[in-house]
Amino acid sequence: MEAVSSNKNYYTKPQIFFISDTHFGHENKIRTKQVPFKTVEEMNREIIRRWNNTVSTNDIVYHIGDFGDYEIIKKLNGKVTLICGNYEKRDFKENFQEFRKKLISLGFHEVIENGIYLDEKVLGQKVYLTHKPTNHAKDCLTIHGHVHTLKLLSRFGFNVALTYHYFSPINQTTVTKYLDFISKYSDEDVFA
């Protein structure tokens, strides 16, 4: 009973979070000035800190591609489902099942090769999760990553790349507000 009472998250309902393009350990993101950090160590440390200040151990995180150093999963809170991006596809080449087993053994909750649909119970409407916006769904809105600048919203969806969201996962309430805006309130002038 002591273990249960010492875990502050034991009784809370898990939240759902979304993020993409963490690029843990990728020096090129600093060289090309896509992130405001001086070193890869500083970048990793800050993203881990922000992630763990946002996500609890019981929460669910959909990481929508380009994770980076897979060992860092051991330092992150939450049950992380990784939807493969272009970096993961480069890493597994033609042997996805072996790659998936390896990542699950490191601590990922699940690894998915291509996009997936989320049931409308999660965000109030059916939504497709995929890394590249060019792979967006035709029958519902899409949550994606891949584009690091200048494209937060589009007619077909919403970008969860960490550079748009203070280098931290965003919760389902925030995602729902963006999706509602796109589907209910935006018009052609918004995306002109």
Side-chain angles (χ1 to χ4, degrees):
M1 193 61 163
E2 185 177 314
V4 170
S5 62
S6 68
N7 184 347
K8 66 180 180 168
N9 299 316
Y10 184 79
Y11 294 107
T12 59
K13 181 180 177 191
Q15 289 191 67
I16 299 173
F17 292 88
F18 301 84
I19 191 168
S20 75
D21 300 282
T22 48
H23 291 283
F24 290 114
H26 291 175
E27 189 83 39
N28 63 327
K29 297 301 166 193
I30 293 166
R31 266 196 322 274
T32 58
K33 300 191 184 310
Q34 292 183 37
V35 294
F37 304 106
K38 290 182 176 35
T39 66
V40 75
E41 294 79 18
E42 176 190 5
M43 177 180 78
N44 290 349
R45 189 172 48 252
E46 186 60 19
I47 296 169
I48 291 167
R49 185 187 73 75
R50 290 177 187 218
W51 180 303
N52 289 338
N53 283 343
T54 303
V55 177
S56 297
T57 55
N58 296 328
D59 290 337
I60 297 163
V61 180
Y62 288 97
H63 190 295
I64 308 178
D66 292 359
F67 187 86
D69 180 354
Y70 305 116
E71 293 283 336
I72 288 188
I73 192 65
K74 297 173 183 175
K75 298 178 180 181
L76 298 174
N77 289 341
K79 297 173 182 135
V80 180
T81 293
L82 175 62
I83 297 164
C84 292
N86 48 294
Y87 277 75
E88 287 81 23
K89 290 183 180 189
R90 180 198 64 198
D91 289 348
F92 72 73
K93 296 177 179 70
E94 296 177 20
N95 196 343
F96 173 71
Q97 288 307 321
E98 284 301 312
F99 176 77
R100 179 179 172 273
K101 285 180 199 172
K102 176 187 171 195
L103 268 55
I104 288 173
S105 75
L106 288 174
F108 285 88
H109 180 72
E110 183 57 88
V111 180
I112 298 169
E113 184 174 2
N114 295 304
I116 61 168
Y117 285 93
L118 285 184
D119 186 272
E120 62 185 62
K121 293 177 196 156
V122 179
L123 295 169
Q125 60 183 294
K126 182 172 95 172
V127 175
Y128 187 63
L129 308 180
T130 188
H131 182 65
K132 289 185 177 180
T134 52
N135 298 336
H136 69 87
K138 308 297 186 242
D139 59 341
C140 65
L141 290 176
T142 298
I143 297 175
H144 65 86
H146 190 62
V147 180
H148 296 252
T149 57
L150 304 176
K151 199 65 172 167
L152 176 63
L153 299 175
S154 64
R155 287 181 182 91
F156 59 80
F158 171 61
N159 190 338
V160 294
L162 84 165
T163 50
Y164 290 108
H165 307 288
Y166 305 104
F167 300 91
S168 179
I170 57 172
N171 66 29
Q172 67 194 74
T173 303
T174 302
V175 170
T176 299
K177 287 179 183 176
Y178 278 108
L179 295 173
D180 283 349
F181 170 76
I182 295 166
S183 62
K184 296 177 184 172
Y185 305 109
S186 65
D187 58 24
E188 290 304 309
D189 292 337
V190 171
F191 303 112

